[in-house]
Amino acid sequence: LLILMTACFNFVNISTALSMRRSKEVSIRKIYGSGRKRLVVLFISESGLSIFIAIIFALLLSKTLLHSFNGLIGSELSFTIFAVHEWIILAIILWIVCVFLASFYSAWYLSAIPPMSILRTVSGGKGRQISRNILVTFQFALSISLIISCLVMYSQMQYTGKIDKGFSDENVIYLGLSGTASKRSGIIKERLEAVPGIVSVTQSAGGMPGLSFTSNGYHVEGIEKPIMSNAVYVDRDYISTMGIQLVKGRDFRDNTGDKYNVLVNETFVKTAGWEDAPGKTIQRNEEYTVIGVVSDFLTGSLHNGIQPVFITLDNERSGFGVIIIKLASKLNNTIRSQIEKIYSEEDPDNPFALEVMNEVLREQYDRERNLNTIFFVLSLLAILISSLGLFGLATYSSQVRRKEIGVRKVNGALIGDIIRRFTGDLLIWIILAFIIAAPLSVFIMKDWLTNFEYKTAISPLIIIAGGLTAMLIGLVSISLATLREAGRNPAETLRV
């Protein structure tokens, strides 16, 4: 909607800037009896026809580009032009809104000027010039906001990609087992360990690191009230397979002997208020003894942050529903086919679905990446529209001041001097747009970053980069528009 408003304001800017070219036509129509309402209808009808044709082209273009857009954002949007009543109604509403925003002001303003005033007027007046500059300011404020937002999102995605998850997802794959096969997970594990290229295999229930864990309440030594903690049920090879670091105590040694011994993470220790965790007891259905502490690792997405974790061999579930496999190198077709063969023999009724862990974790943040891509495209559109509007205004301004340019050149002004004078007048409004957009976009992006437990800081360089980008684009647009008039021979421009 903001992009559409920018385009409509562009139309208003250009139409009001060029409206004085039709002043004689309007004055003649008024002299011959055309009323104000009739002139308003005339201007709106002309704009309405142009916008109607534009909407038809937009619908056809949307249909053509929809497949590419779905690939860009990872979605499956679809629509059939004119086959659904909602689209027809939406197109009509869009047409009415665009006609009102884009043509009503210029039509009403021009039709209100007395005929003799129009015949004498050469330019649009200072008041109208200021109103056009205000619209340009709004356009560039939107462009700068989108640029800054896009840069902040990109910075956040880069930051989250570098965060230490606390476990290794490199060359780790996993697959789910049906309820029946989960009771034979130990046999499946032994068969998989014999496959060449597989480093280690472990079993788990209750969740996967970086995705989600189950959560339970536990009574811990030294605290009366129970604490909530993530929990995962594993075998003795879990810590080594997942690359989780042991910071104190020891790892599991035996699946039977360590059944009622547990590992906890550092956040669990902090939550329990322990100084030395090994030897402490935790109660749920049984009493467990802490034998070691592991470093903190992500149990869910980066939106949630680090949670307390309880790791036990005492599986409360009926079996282990997940087999996790650590490979010596990247997954290849040979290893995949061997794993699939074992799986089809041990769990024939369940579809084979092998997941690559780092790819699954990456997909968690597709929404943010897609949002960043959309903002990037919108930023380009907003900049393009704003630049076209600024180019049109600068072109009109240079044409209106053609004689002034000629006089300045006769008096020795260089083309560069003339361009600097024109750019200075319009760049002031771009600077004003930056002053408005910078704090607004920082406020909005700080609110967006609250969705992340781990978030990057909004660097002043990002804000400066957004402003300088808009200013550079504005400078180029104004310079190109002014260059043509500034390069004319003064003899031509000053000829009566």
Side-chain angles (χ1 to χ4, degrees), residues 236-244 246 251-252 263 294 311:
R236 65 178 184 179
D237 298 314
Y238 184 81
I239 300 299
S240 58
T241 301
M242 292 308 305
I244 299 172
L246 185 71
D251 195 0
F252 298 120
L263 300 174
V294 299
I311 307 170

Side-chain angles (χ1 to χ4, degrees), residues 10 13-14 136 139 384-394:
N10 232 11
N13 263 344
I14 302 300
V136 168
Q139 290 177 320
L384 177 62
I385 293 170
S386 301
S387 299
L388 288 174
L390 192 59
F391 181 83
L393 282 180

Side-chain angles (χ1 to χ4, degrees), residues 357-374:
M357 191 167 187
N358 55 10
E359 293 180 1
V360 174
L361 293 176
R362 197 179 303 119
E363 288 172 1
Q364 278 194 113
Y365 308 103
D366 279 348
R367 179 178 176 273
E368 280 77 19
R369 275 188 287 270
N370 293 340
L371 186 63
N372 191 22
T373 303
I374 291 171

Side-chain angles (χ1 to χ4, degrees), residues 189 193 201-203 234-240 246 248-263 278 289-292 294 311-314:
K189 174 184 175 180
E193 286 175 330
V201 183
T202 188
Q203 314 161 76
V234 301
D235 66 13
R236 65 178 184 179
D237 298 314
Y238 184 81
I239 300 299
S240 58
L246 185 71
K248 185 175 288 188
R250 68 173 178 87
D251 195 0
F252 298 120
R253 294 172 183 165
D254 182 77
N255 288 333
T256 304
D258 281 329
K259 182 177 180 180
Y260 297 112
N261 293 330
V262 298
L263 300 174
T289 302
V290 178
I291 59 171
V294 299
I311 307 170
T312 178
L313 302 178
D314 183 24

Side-chain angles (χ1 to χ4, degrees), residues 69-113:
F69 182 75
N70 281 334
L72 187 69
I73 66 171
S75 181
E76 292 296 332
L77 300 175
S78 64
F79 77 95
T80 304
I81 301 175
F82 306 130
V84 182
H85 295 302
E86 286 81 357
W87 285 110
I88 298 174
I89 295 171
L90 180 62
I92 293 172
I93 294 173
L94 186 63
W95 178 80
I96 293 172
V97 170
C98 290
V99 168
F100 178 81
L101 290 176
S103 61
F104 185 79
Y105 171 76
S106 56
W108 187 262
Y109 190 95
L110 186 58
S111 65
I113 301 177

Side-chain angles (χ1 to χ4, degrees), residues 258-293:
D258 281 329
K259 182 177 180 180
Y260 297 112
N261 293 330
V262 298
L263 300 174
V264 294
N265 70 341
E266 294 170 307
T267 297
F268 190 105
V269 175
K270 292 176 185 176
T271 305
W274 295 334
E275 292 184 4
D276 191 21
K280 298 292 186 181
T281 59
I282 302 172
Q283 290 187 347
R284 181 167 159 78
N285 299 325
E286 303 287 345
E287 182 173 284
Y288 303 94
T289 302
V290 178
I291 59 171
V293 179

